[in-house]
Amino acid sequence: MSPSTHYDVILIGGGHNGLVAAAYLAKAGRKVLLLEARSHLGGLAGTEELFPGFHAPVGHADAGLFSPQVIKDLRLESHGLAFHDVPAAVFAPQPDGRALTLWRDPARAKAEIARFSARDAERYPEYLRVTARLAAVLAATAAEIPPNIISPSLNDLFPWARVALKARRLGRADMMDFLRLLPMTAQEWLNEWFESPVVQAALGAHSVTGSMLGPQSSGSAYMLLYQQMGVPNAGYRSARFARGGVGAVIAALTRAAESHGVEILTDTPVARVLLENGRAVGVELADGDLLRAPVIVSNLDPRRTLFGLVGPQQLNPRLMRRVRNIRFKGSTSRLTLALSGLPKFKGAPDGHDHLTGYTLICPSLDYLEKAYDDAKYGRISANPALELHFPSLHDAALAPAGQHLVSITIQFTPYDLKGASWAKEGKRLTDLVIKTLDAYAPGFKSLVKHNHLRTPASLESDFAATEGGIMHGQMALDQWLIGRPVAGFARYATEIPGLFLCGAGTHPGGGLTGLPGRNAARAILKNRRS
Amino acid sequence: MPIPTPFHSRTAALSVSHEWRDWSGYLSVARYAATHDAEYYAVRSGAGLLDVSPLFKYEITGPDAARLVDRIMTRDIAKCAVGQVMYSPWCDEDGQTIDDGTIQRFGPQHFRITAADPSLRWFQDVGYGLNAQIRDLSADLGALALQGPKSREILKQIVTQSDDSLDALKYYYLTPAKIDRIPVTITRTGYTGDLGYEIWVERRYAEKVYDSLYDTGRKYGLMPLGLVALDMLRIEAGLLLIDVDYIAATKADIESQKSTPYEIGLSWAVDLDGADFIGKPALQRELKHGSEWFFCGLEIDWPHLESLFATHNLPPKVLGMASRAAVPVYKDGYQVGQATSITFSPLLKKYIALATLKTQYAAFGDDVHLETTVEFSRQQARACVVKSSFFNPKRKREVLA
Ligand SMILES: Cc1cc2nc3c(=O)[nH]c(=O)nc-3n(C[C@H](O)[C@H](O)[C@H](O)COP(=O)(O)OP(=O)(O)OC[C@H]3O[C@@H](n4cnc5c(N)ncnc54)[C@H](O)[C@@H]3O)c2cc1C
């Protein structure tokens, strides 16, 4: 970087949303500098070599929610992004030795479901149709900049006419279902459809992804839909895998950004946003350097941005209170294991096809609710809900020959442990997860060569995610749309002129979607003062 | 139900009328005798002693104390010297007035603030992220206002030790002092527009200090002062009363009920050149574009009022105390604002009011009309738009040494 260079935009944070926003802004002709604290780009959707020869995803490994519009606008396919199909959506081994596999092929999945309930199997195709229609409405809201409710302008509201139209096309019955579903619990919604607890769990476990909510909490049905906004995946959450793993998405985004002239600096943490006369005018780096630009965009979560980089004492109390009140409540941990071979689960079909989607340790929604109950009172779930993904099955290059990598998302490991600290509990959690898996896949323990655990505490210290909240603010109805990141500031601008947000803490929210980044860039380009 | 102040045993014993008012949840004497005239005259000719303990009081300390006070107040706190007191309003994010009070600066990072309304949450939120501690002293501190031309003489008899001699203590300055070996703070402040002081004392010593002041003051014509007379005195001095002359932004039902400091005569207390404070950008905009309202005094044309009553063969009848019922003010037949406090001033022999008028339609020096009821019929009494400080004696600010 030449310090004399003039930048139109400084973007803080090279998570996928930061990269998307930077690319869009540069594509529109802005001179953009992107600063990332870590040595790798991608943030929570990045990839890291945790053990020699093993390249593991930090967090979300699948691009099922990633916006097709972003892929198109940024021509990511010409920058090397390609997807490959896998046969399985979810594989759910049971404590009794049986196992349910939802294949992506609906007919095959239906046949599998019939082994648990003939009635459920009959209803399954209709369930897929209804959820797809409802999720499409949510997806339409996700792609738009939330309207200004206080003084709406026609220009702002116009795109929402399309959303309304889409909602109308649902027909009255579906529209009723949509409005009824949003505040419902996932459990109630699935009770209306299915009788088998195994089927309910396989279709409903993702309703609590990244949240401090149980399947019996209001709003979990909304999350169920949110996670299905993208590529259909047999009723489980949207899934789609990039060739080369999630790292390939980040690599394509990086190339796209650079092709439009974005300058990227890694290992460059920003310490502060500089204000002059109440306006954001630049950033101060951790090493003391000052860089100036008329527009500053932050990929960090709203509290980390406004309290950490700006300072609460610079905000009006109205905004300060709202930011202070954002619920983060990180509850997800990630255990990555290097395996000497693939595990053999009880009840599993032959071969490895069933492991190409997600492997779910969550026999019922009751099990999940109980796992949440523990967390609610500050404890790690005694029987944790686990979701496994084997990146090395998708791309052998991610692990040394013949060996495997498994990324385990552990649901309900609260940031605020009661009477304990994460510094001490990590080892216990690792042992608990391995022991749990050993019961479903005898011999699992002996396959483990290395382990690496990221808890809410280390997600906070390593990625600056407040309270280890992987969604940059809990996904809940009051923290959605015009309430995200906070009421009154849902349109990517903050009250500080020149300072914008583009991360998962803004609408539509967390996950590897690219939509906060895209919407933010559009809002910034519309903003007269930038 | 209102609760007693630290001076209650004394004020209750002196009150013959037993007429109480609720002031911020405390029992406050409305008037001590059957009428309040004597109290009123005592303040303008001798001295009055008023229990102002119901004011909310906050102490702000810590490395960022000055920054915090500056962030709250529209005045520039950098200009407030240690030992000085400043009057200032404070605003919400939109520059609308929340409250007004005094800031006493005890040290570079040590302040006390008085407020009419509970303010702890607001101060804490404004200070979130700053290294400053806010303590609510409201219940721990008793406060007495000693007001009137004789107040200095009285104090000098009983103050045994003070950093500054009372003769040298300037208007809106403070001094630590001892009364009967009891540590107190004396500020040269008040709400009557006269020479006067306020004495701040820990609750446990309150009664002793009261006794000292009262016993000595008696020889100088001191009378205990209640809220009814006070209301007349503060209108004469042109001093605002929250919830009467303006509505706290926090309590307004609709936006238009709120007022910026510019609209309530406090532009002198807004310093846009100092550090940033809450509401500053909004006030900068207002300064540029002009304010919708202005605050003023009205002097009612007495002969005209007389003539209105004369049509009914009546002598002019006015209330013997202040009225807080807002009445419309007209100009050329159109309503241009409202008078919010009205009183007959026995001292000035004038019928006066505090009013808020539209800048677009009225100005100082204009003739306007105040709605007045004469024998059940609505009439309009002629009045002149004047500055609000009807009574402003030299002695208020005078320094002797
Ligand atoms: C274990 C795990 C499992 C997950 N599972 C799912 C899932 O199943 N479904 C789902 O939808 N989502 C899931 N997610 C969440 C998803 O990965 C995130 O919501 C998403 O990646 C956030 O992207 P972002 O670009 O908005 O923010 P981030 O990826 O957090 O990017 C922020 C960037 O800013 C950088 N940064 C921080 N501070 C500074 C600084 N001071 N200066 C410069 N740079 C800085 C960080 O290093 C980071 O690169 C999961 C996440 C994790 C960790």
Side-chain angles (χ1 to χ4, degrees):
Chain A
M1 169 198 46
S2 51
S4 58
T5 316
H6 163 84
Y7 296 103
D8 299 317
V9 179
I10 292 176
L11 216 145
I12 309 167
H16 83 284
N17 279 314
L19 288 167
V20 168
Y24 271 96
L25 290 167
K27 191 172 167 233
R30 302 294 189 275
K31 182 103 191 84
V32 182
L33 173 67
L34 184 147
L35 306 169
E36 165 58 46
R38 295 174 62 87
S39 52
H40 288 89
L41 296 168
L44 298 179
T47 305
E48 48 190 351
E49 187 172 1
L50 288 179
F51 329 111
F54 291 87
H55 299 270
V58 173
H60 207 20
D62 121 20
L65 290 179
F66 197 70
S67 159
Q69 192 65 45
V70 172
I71 297 178
K72 200 169 131 219
D73 290 347
L74 298 179
R75 300 181 40 250
L76 295 183
E77 275 153 345
S78 77
H79 291 289
L81 181 61
F83 297 97
H84 69 107
D85 289 332
V86 297
V90 60
F91 165 66
Q94 302 298 314
D96 62 8
R98 295 188 297 168
L100 167 70
T101 313
L102 288 183
W103 302 102
R104 297 181 75 128
D105 171 359
R108 248 180 116 189
K110 190 178 164 189
E112 272 281 306
I113 292 175
R115 297 201 296 118
F116 290 83
S117 158
R119 180 177 167 265
D120 289 356
E122 284 312 310
R123 304 214 65 187
Y124 177 66
E126 173 68 3
Y127 174 78
L128 293 185
R129 274 194 295 276
V130 169
T131 43
R133 276 206 299 269
L134 301 183
V137 178
L138 199 61
T141 68
E144 300 300 340
I145 299 168
N148 181 341
I149 295 295
I150 310 290
S151 49
S153 84
L154 223 53
N155 271 347
D156 294 340
L157 286 178
F158 186 70
W160 288 90
R162 286 202 301 266
V163 177
L165 216 64
K166 186 155 217 147
R168 267 193 67 150
R169 250 183 263 133
L170 276 179
R172 268 182 210 189
D174 282 353
M175 190 61 207
M176 275 305 293
D177 264 337
F178 182 73
L179 293 176
R180 196 170 67 90
L181 181 142
L182 288 182
M184 267 176 95
T185 75
Q187 174 84 72
E188 287 159 354
W189 171 248
L190 288 162
N191 278 347
E192 293 181 0
W193 285 94
F194 303 109
E195 59 181 11
S196 157
V198 175
V199 175
Q200 287 184 345
L203 292 171
H206 66 271
S207 63
V208 299
T209 303
S211 304
M212 190 66 163
L213 289 181
Q216 294 179 20
S217 303
S218 170
S220 52
Y222 144 68
M223 265 311 273
L224 196 75
L225 271 198
Y226 183 88
Q227 292 288 348
Q228 293 183 71
M229 289 192 311
V231 179
N233 186 28
Y236 196 60
R237 61 189 164 97
S238 295
R240 194 186 196 191
F241 298 98
R243 253 184 241 287
V246 70
V249 180
I250 301 304
L253 273 175
T254 308
R255 278 194 289 275
E258 284 174 339
S259 76
H260 289 297
V262 176
E263 279 180 55
I264 298 177
L265 291 177
T266 50
D267 295 304
T268 311
V270 169
R272 224 153 55 79
V273 170
L274 297 175
L275 301 187
E276 270 172 23
N277 297 322
R279 217 197 134 84
V281 295
V283 298
E284 182 181 331
L285 303 183
D287 64 13
D289 276 0
L290 303 182
L291 295 169
R292 297 176 72 89
V295 173
I296 310 297
V297 187
S298 171
N299 184 192
L300 278 55
D301 72 56
R303 193 183 293 165
R304 184 62 66 155
T305 303
L306 291 168
F307 284 8
L309 297 184
V310 174
Q313 72 281 3
Q314 310 275 11
L315 308 178
N316 274 324
R318 182 160 47 208
L319 176 58
M320 185 283 295
R321 284 178 189 145
R322 288 177 192 170
V323 173
R324 194 175 56 188
N325 289 342
I326 298 175
R327 278 171 285 115
F328 290 89
K329 296 196 178 180
S331 63
T332 308
S333 291
R334 162 59 53 85
L335 178 64
T336 307
L337 303 176
L339 303 177
S340 56
L342 285 172
K344 178 93 189 79
F345 286 91
K346 288 191 223 163
D350 291 338
H352 304 313
D353 274 2
H354 59 286
L355 297 181
T356 54
Y358 289 99
T359 299
L360 191 64
I361 304 297
C362 178
S364 66
L365 292 178
D366 271 356
Y367 177 98
L368 191 57
E369 183 71 18
K370 282 180 189 140
Y372 166 64
D373 283 341
D374 286 330
K376 202 161 67 182
Y377 300 107
R379 300 184 300 264
I380 294 170
S381 309
N383 294 298
L386 308 175
E387 192 188 63
L388 286 64
H389 165 71
F390 295 87
S392 51
L393 266 185
H394 296 252
D395 188 339
L398 296 176
Q403 303 183 39
H404 282 282
L405 198 52
V406 62
S407 296
I408 306 168
T409 303
I410 312 166
Q411 203 46 261
F412 303 132
T413 58
Y415 172 80
D416 274 320
L417 281 178
K418 201 164 196 168
S421 78
W422 272 115
K424 295 213 177 91
E425 289 299 286
K427 172 87 174 69
R428 199 173 71 77
L429 178 61
T430 300
D431 292 346
L432 173 70
V433 170
I434 293 175
K435 192 174 136 232
T436 304
L437 286 169
D438 204 62
Y440 285 85
F444 183 90
K445 196 172 168 187
S446 60
L447 298 174
V448 178
K449 292 178 58 182
H450 307 285
N451 65 70
H452 177 272
L453 180 70
R454 267 229 171 75
T455 65
S458 57
L459 283 167
E460 180 175 64
S461 57
D462 296 351
F463 293 90
T466 301
E467 294 179 9
I470 62 169
M471 304 305 214
H472 288 199
Q474 166 127 225
M475 299 289 289
L477 283 177
D478 62 315
Q479 301 193 148
W480 173 60
L481 201 67
I482 55 165
R484 191 168 188 92
V486 296
F489 298 92
R491 294 156 58 76
Y492 308 92
T494 62
E495 68 178 5
I496 296 168
L499 179 65
F500 298 83
L501 299 171
C502 75
T506 59
H507 176 75
L512 181 56
T513 68
L515 288 172
R518 174 175 182 264
N519 290 349
R522 287 160 66 218
I524 292 163
L525 293 169
K526 269 197 199 169
N527 193 293
R528 269 167 292 123
R529 296 168 75 182
S530 56
Chain B
M1 211 188 64
I3 56 169
T5 78
F7 302 106
H8 185 78
S9 61
R10 302 305 189 263
T11 54
L14 289 168
S15 172
V16 178
S17 73
H18 300 296
E19 198 182 326
W20 298 94
R21 280 200 189 162
D22 179 337
W23 177 7
S24 296
Y26 286 96
L27 281 165
S28 285
V29 176
R31 44 165 89 77
Y32 282 85
T35 67
H36 52 272
D37 305 7
E39 296 169 24
Y40 164 85
Y41 280 113
V43 173
R44 294 295 184 222
S45 59
L49 187 61
L50 174 74
D51 178 3
V52 292
S53 306
L55 285 171
F56 291 87
K57 313 160 206 93
Y58 302 94
E59 182 163 70
I60 301 190
T61 53
D64 289 332
R67 259 184 89 190
L68 171 55
V69 178
D70 229 353
R71 213 170 119 71
I72 299 169
M73 301 295 168
T74 59
R75 293 285 292 276
D76 182 3
I77 299 308
K79 293 183 187 151
C80 183
V82 171
Q84 196 179 338
V85 183
M86 263 190 178
Y87 167 83
S88 180
W90 56 94
C91 297
D92 68 9
E93 296 87 345
D94 304 319
Q96 306 292 350
T97 314
I98 293 177
D99 200 345
D100 61 300
T102 59
I103 304 137
Q104 308 167 7
R105 188 166 200 166
F106 288 88
Q109 303 291 2
H110 182 186
F111 300 84
R112 267 188 208 163
I113 296 175
T114 64
D117 285 332
S119 309
L120 188 64
R121 177 171 181 255
W122 180 252
F123 291 170
Q124 280 175 339
D125 282 354
V126 175
Y128 190 77
L130 290 177
N131 189 354
Q133 290 71 50
I134 305 163
R135 220 153 58 89
D136 187 343
L137 300 180
S138 303
D140 307 337
L141 272 189
L144 288 171
L146 176 66
Q147 303 281 303
K150 295 280 165 57
S151 52
R152 178 166 22 219
E153 280 309 302
I154 298 167
L155 268 188
K156 276 161 74 173
Q157 303 307 309
I158 53 169
V159 166
T160 47
Q161 179 201 331
S162 116
D163 278 12
D164 246 298
S165 106
L166 284 170
D167 283 343
L169 185 66
K170 286 191 281 187
Y171 184 56
Y172 266 78
Y173 276 78
L174 66 82
T175 179
K178 287 216 167 119
I179 291 178
D180 262 354
R181 291 196 306 278
I182 294 167
V184 298
T185 301
I186 298 175
T187 56
R188 188 164 162 191
T189 49
Y191 195 51
T192 61
D194 217 307
L195 172 67
Y197 301 85
E198 285 168 310
I199 296 102
W200 312 82
V201 59
E202 269 182 64
R203 172 177 203 108
R204 57 187 160 143
Y205 302 130
E207 287 154 332
K208 274 189 87 174
V209 168
Y210 194 98
D211 293 341
S212 257
L213 278 166
Y214 186 75
D215 295 344
T216 309
R218 296 267 293 175
K219 297 167 212 147
Y220 295 83
L222 175 142
M223 294 198 68
L225 173 64
L227 295 180
V228 176
L230 178 72
D231 220 7
M232 299 168 68
L233 295 161
R234 65 100 193 164
I235 297 172
E236 287 176 347
L239 297 172
L240 285 170
L241 181 57
I242 192 169
D243 298 341
V244 174
D245 299 305
Y246 76 95
I247 296 177
T250 40
K251 291 187 229 155
D253 294 321
I254 47 174
E255 283 302 310
S256 61
Q257 288 178 345
K258 299 176 180 176
S259 308
T260 66
Y262 290 130
E263 294 177 325
I264 52 175
L266 297 179
S267 39
W268 64 273
V270 178
D271 196 333
L272 295 175
D273 299 327
D276 286 350
F277 58 82
I278 307 296
K280 184 174 174 182
L283 294 183
Q284 277 168 329
R285 281 194 296 277
E286 181 170 331
L287 189 66
K288 213 162 104 194
H289 298 120
S291 304
E292 195 182 345
W293 299 93
F294 75 106
F295 182 73
C296 61
L298 298 180
E299 226 179 276
I300 289 103
D301 181 339
W302 190 256
H304 185 245
L305 187 71
E306 248 175 355
S307 72
L308 296 176
F309 280 91
T311 57
H312 294 275
N313 289 326
L314 286 169
K317 255 201 278 185
V318 295
L319 214 56
M321 57 190 275
S323 162
R324 294 175 174 190
V327 295
V329 175
Y330 300 91
K331 195 180 159 215
D332 305 329
Y334 293 99
Q335 189 180 345
V336 294
Q338 59 278 343
T340 45
S341 294
I342 310 173
T343 193
F344 184 79
S345 164
L347 185 82
L348 304 172
K349 305 279 183 285
K350 279 179 186 167
Y351 195 37
I352 56 176
L354 301 180
T356 307
L357 306 180
K358 290 239 171 175
T359 43
Q360 205 183 334
Y361 302 114
F364 287 105
D366 280 359
D367 270 342
V368 293
H369 285 88
L370 182 78
E371 185 167 293
T372 316
T373 309
V374 179
E375 201 56 16
F376 315 116
S377 75
R378 285 183 200 192
Q379 301 294 330
Q380 293 186 6
R382 191 158 50 222
C384 185
V385 181
V386 297
K387 297 271 180 212
S388 65
S389 50
F390 299 97
F391 178 75
N392 190 8
K394 205 170 122 226
R395 63 178 181 250
K396 180 176 87 177
R397 294 171 166 273
E398 206 170 35
V399 185
L400 295 186

mmCIF file of all heavy atoms in Angstrom, chain B residues 362-384:
data_model
loop_
_atom_site.group_PDB
_atom_site.id
_atom_site.type_symbol
_atom_site.label_atom_id
_atom_site.label_comp_id
_atom_site.label_asym_id
_atom_site.label_seq_id
_atom_site.Cartn_x
_atom_site.Cartn_y
_atom_site.Cartn_z
ATOM 1 N N ALA B 362 -44.524 37.335 15.768
ATOM 2 C CA ALA B 362 -44.431 38.309 16.866
ATOM 3 C C ALA B 362 -42.972 38.608 17.165
ATOM 4 O O ALA B 362 -42.083 37.828 16.811
ATOM 5 C CB ALA B 362 -45.121 37.761 18.107
ATOM 6 N N ALA B 363 -42.737 39.733 17.795
ATOM 7 C CA ALA B 363 -41.363 40.129 18.116
ATOM 8 C C ALA B 363 -41.391 41.028 19.347
ATOM 9 O O ALA B 363 -42.462 41.523 19.748
ATOM 10 C CB ALA B 363 -40.744 40.858 16.937
ATOM 11 N N PHE B 364 -40.232 41.214 19.948
ATOM 12 C CA PHE B 364 -40.153 42.106 21.100
ATOM 13 C C PHE B 364 -40.639 43.491 20.690
ATOM 14 O O PHE B 364 -40.346 43.973 19.593
ATOM 15 C CB PHE B 364 -38.714 42.164 21.632
ATOM 16 C CG PHE B 364 -38.321 40.906 22.342
ATOM 17 C CD1 PHE B 364 -37.468 39.991 21.752
ATOM 18 C CD2 PHE B 364 -38.839 40.632 23.611
ATOM 19 C CE1 PHE B 364 -37.123 38.814 22.400
ATOM 20 C CE2 PHE B 364 -38.497 39.457 24.267
ATOM 21 C CZ PHE B 364 -37.639 38.547 23.658
ATOM 22 N N GLY B 365 -41.404 44.119 21.576
ATOM 23 C CA GLY B 365 -41.915 45.457 21.296
ATOM 24 C C GLY B 365 -43.310 45.447 20.686
ATOM 25 O O GLY B 365 -43.997 46.464 20.678
ATOM 26 N N ASP B 366 -43.743 44.268 20.186
ATOM 27 C CA ASP B 366 -45.073 44.184 19.575
ATOM 28 C C ASP B 366 -46.179 44.339 20.617
ATOM 29 O O ASP B 366 -46.002 43.993 21.780
ATOM 30 C CB ASP B 366 -45.268 42.814 18.913
ATOM 31 C CG ASP B 366 -44.608 42.744 17.546
ATOM 32 O OD1 ASP B 366 -44.030 43.757 17.121
ATOM 33 O OD2 ASP B 366 -44.664 41.652 16.929
ATOM 34 N N ASP B 367 -47.306 44.807 20.138
ATOM 35 C CA ASP B 367 -48.523 44.747 20.939
ATOM 36 C C ASP B 367 -49.241 43.443 20.632
ATOM 37 O O ASP B 367 -49.427 43.103 19.463
ATOM 38 C CB ASP B 367 -49.456 45.907 20.579
ATOM 39 C CG ASP B 367 -49.154 47.107 21.450
ATOM 40 O OD1 ASP B 367 -48.502 46.927 22.506
ATOM 41 O OD2 ASP B 367 -49.567 48.219 21.074
ATOM 42 N N VAL B 368 -49.606 42.720 21.657
ATOM 43 C CA VAL B 368 -50.372 41.487 21.470
ATOM 44 C C VAL B 368 -51.553 41.536 22.430
ATOM 45 O O VAL B 368 -51.724 42.513 23.174
ATOM 46 C CB VAL B 368 -49.505 40.237 21.753
ATOM 47 C CG1 VAL B 368 -48.414 40.090 20.710
ATOM 48 C CG2 VAL B 368 -48.920 40.295 23.152
ATOM 49 N N HIS B 369 -52.368 40.492 22.412
ATOM 50 C CA HIS B 369 -53.504 40.444 23.347
ATOM 51 C C HIS B 369 -53.523 39.117 24.083
ATOM 52 O O HIS B 369 -53.258 38.066 23.496
ATOM 53 C CB HIS B 369 -54.818 40.658 22.593
ATOM 54 C CG HIS B 369 -55.018 42.073 22.206
ATOM 55 N ND1 HIS B 369 -54.532 42.596 21.021
ATOM 56 C CD2 HIS B 369 -55.634 43.103 22.859
ATOM 57 C CE1 HIS B 369 -54.831 43.883 20.965
ATOM 58 N NE2 HIS B 369 -55.505 44.216 22.060
ATOM 59 N N LEU B 370 -53.830 39.212 25.356
ATOM 60 C CA LEU B 370 -53.833 38.039 26.216
ATOM 61 C C LEU B 370 -55.277 37.711 26.545
ATOM 62 O O LEU B 370 -56.054 38.604 26.926
ATOM 63 C CB LEU B 370 -53.071 38.394 27.497
ATOM 64 C CG LEU B 370 -52.889 37.322 28.529
ATOM 65 C CD1 LEU B 370 -51.772 36.390 28.089
ATOM 66 C CD2 LEU B 370 -52.542 37.953 29.876
ATOM 67 N N GLU B 371 -55.646 36.461 26.387
ATOM 68 C CA GLU B 371 -57.037 36.119 26.705
ATOM 69 C C GLU B 371 -57.294 36.266 28.196
ATOM 70 O O GLU B 371 -56.514 35.782 29.022
ATOM 71 C CB GLU B 371 -57.342 34.689 26.257
ATOM 72 C CG GLU B 371 -58.799 34.358 26.473
ATOM 73 C CD GLU B 371 -59.208 33.082 25.758
ATOM 74 O OE1 GLU B 371 -59.212 33.057 24.523
ATOM 75 O OE2 GLU B 371 -59.508 32.112 26.466
ATOM 76 N N THR B 372 -58.358 36.951 28.532
ATOM 77 C CA THR B 372 -58.695 37.222 29.924
ATOM 78 C C THR B 372 -60.193 37.027 30.082
ATOM 79 O O THR B 372 -60.954 37.410 29.195
ATOM 80 C CB THR B 372 -58.398 38.700 30.275
ATOM 81 O OG1 THR B 372 -57.140 39.042 29.723
ATOM 82 C CG2 THR B 372 -58.400 38.923 31.768
ATOM 83 N N THR B 373 -60.580 36.426 31.168
ATOM 84 C CA THR B 373 -62.015 36.244 31.382
ATOM 85 C C THR B 373 -62.530 37.376 32.264
ATOM 86 O O THR B 373 -62.012 37.599 33.359
ATOM 87 C CB THR B 373 -62.289 34.897 32.057
ATOM 88 O OG1 THR B 373 -61.601 33.903 31.310
ATOM 89 C CG2 THR B 373 -63.755 34.578 32.073
ATOM 90 N N VAL B 374 -63.505 38.089 31.758
ATOM 91 C CA VAL B 374 -64.120 39.170 32.524
ATOM 92 C C VAL B 374 -65.593 38.824 32.692
ATOM 93 O O VAL B 374 -66.319 38.731 31.702
ATOM 94 C CB VAL B 374 -63.984 40.524 31.790
ATOM 95 C CG1 VAL B 374 -64.663 41.627 32.602
ATOM 96 C CG2 VAL B 374 -62.520 40.856 31.546
ATOM 97 N N GLU B 375 -65.965 38.572 33.903
ATOM 98 C CA GLU B 375 -67.371 38.246 34.188
ATOM 99 C C GLU B 375 -67.880 37.167 33.223
ATOM 100 O O GLU B 375 -68.841 37.357 32.488
ATOM 101 C CB GLU B 375 -68.203 39.549 34.093
ATOM 102 C CG GLU B 375 -69.547 39.510 34.816
ATOM 103 C CD GLU B 375 -69.447 39.150 36.297
ATOM 104 O OE1 GLU B 375 -68.334 39.214 36.870
ATOM 105 O OE2 GLU B 375 -70.470 38.773 36.876
ATOM 106 N N PHE B 376 -67.200 36.062 33.219
ATOM 107 C CA PHE B 376 -67.540 34.872 32.418
ATOM 108 C C PHE B 376 -67.406 35.064 30.924
ATOM 109 O O PHE B 376 -67.706 34.162 30.151
ATOM 110 C CB PHE B 376 -68.974 34.377 32.721
ATOM 111 C CG PHE B 376 -69.297 34.331 34.174
ATOM 112 C CD1 PHE B 376 -70.296 35.141 34.711
ATOM 113 C CD2 PHE B 376 -68.581 33.494 35.028
ATOM 114 C CE1 PHE B 376 -70.579 35.096 36.060
ATOM 115 C CE2 PHE B 376 -68.880 33.453 36.370
ATOM 116 C CZ PHE B 376 -69.874 34.262 36.898
ATOM 117 N N SER B 377 -66.980 36.207 30.459
ATOM 118 C CA SER B 377 -66.861 36.352 29.012
ATOM 119 C C SER B 377 -65.390 36.488 28.635
ATOM 120 O O SER B 377 -64.598 37.047 29.365
ATOM 121 C CB SER B 377 -67.662 37.565 28.525
ATOM 122 O OG SER B 377 -66.962 38.748 28.866
ATOM 123 N N ARG B 378 -65.066 35.929 27.474
ATOM 124 C CA ARG B 378 -63.678 35.974 27.031
ATOM 125 C C ARG B 378 -63.353 37.330 26.454
ATOM 126 O O ARG B 378 -64.044 37.804 25.564
ATOM 127 C CB ARG B 378 -63.447 34.929 25.951
ATOM 128 C CG ARG B 378 -63.373 33.562 26.522
ATOM 129 C CD ARG B 378 -63.079 32.597 25.409
ATOM 130 N NE ARG B 378 -63.470 31.273 25.856
ATOM 131 C CZ ARG B 378 -63.141 30.161 25.225
ATOM 132 N NH1 ARG B 378 -62.432 30.227 24.128
ATOM 133 N NH2 ARG B 378 -63.524 29.011 25.699
ATOM 134 N N GLN B 379 -62.320 37.922 26.987
ATOM 135 C CA GLN B 379 -61.872 39.207 26.476
ATOM 136 C C GLN B 379 -60.400 39.100 26.138
ATOM 137 O O GLN B 379 -59.745 38.119 26.482
ATOM 138 C CB GLN B 379 -62.080 40.292 27.547
ATOM 139 C CG GLN B 379 -63.514 40.449 28.007
ATOM 140 C CD GLN B 379 -64.421 40.974 26.907
ATOM 141 O OE1 GLN B 379 -63.971 41.717 26.027
ATOM 142 N NE2 GLN B 379 -65.695 40.576 26.945
ATOM 143 N N GLN B 380 -59.910 40.141 25.471
ATOM 144 C CA GLN B 380 -58.487 40.168 25.163
ATOM 145 C C GLN B 380 -57.868 41.444 25.716
ATOM 146 O O GLN B 380 -58.260 42.545 25.335
ATOM 147 C CB GLN B 380 -58.273 40.082 23.648
ATOM 148 C CG GLN B 380 -58.712 38.737 23.105
ATOM 149 C CD GLN B 380 -58.378 38.576 21.637
ATOM 150 O OE1 GLN B 380 -57.718 39.424 21.038
ATOM 151 N NE2 GLN B 380 -58.846 37.474 21.055
ATOM 152 N N ALA B 381 -56.923 41.243 26.640
ATOM 153 C CA ALA B 381 -56.275 42.398 27.253
ATOM 154 C C ALA B 381 -54.996 42.716 26.496
ATOM 155 O O ALA B 381 -54.220 41.814 26.178
ATOM 156 C CB ALA B 381 -55.967 42.102 28.719
ATOM 157 N N ARG B 382 -54.803 43.985 26.224
ATOM 158 C CA ARG B 382 -53.618 44.394 25.479
ATOM 159 C C ARG B 382 -52.361 44.161 26.313
ATOM 160 O O ARG B 382 -52.359 44.331 27.531
ATOM 161 C CB ARG B 382 -53.730 45.857 25.084
ATOM 162 C CG ARG B 382 -52.651 46.276 24.087
ATOM 163 C CD ARG B 382 -53.035 47.510 23.292
ATOM 164 N NE ARG B 382 -53.487 48.574 24.177
ATOM 165 C CZ ARG B 382 -54.535 49.360 23.928
ATOM 166 N NH1 ARG B 382 -55.235 49.197 22.828
ATOM 167 N NH2 ARG B 382 -54.884 50.306 24.774
ATOM 168 N N ALA B 383 -51.301 43.760 25.657
ATOM 169 C CA ALA B 383 -50.039 43.528 26.379
ATOM 170 C C ALA B 383 -48.893 43.832 25.434
ATOM 171 O O ALA B 383 -49.055 43.807 24.213
ATOM 172 C CB ALA B 383 -49.947 42.080 26.850
ATOM 173 N N CYS B 384 -47.744 44.102 26.025
ATOM 174 C CA CYS B 384 -46.570 44.399 25.229
ATOM 175 C C CYS B 384 -45.558 43.280 25.394
ATOM 176 O O CYS B 384 -45.362 42.734 26.488
ATOM 177 C CB CYS B 384 -45.970 45.728 25.686
ATOM 178 S SG CYS B 384 -44.581 46.221 24.646
#
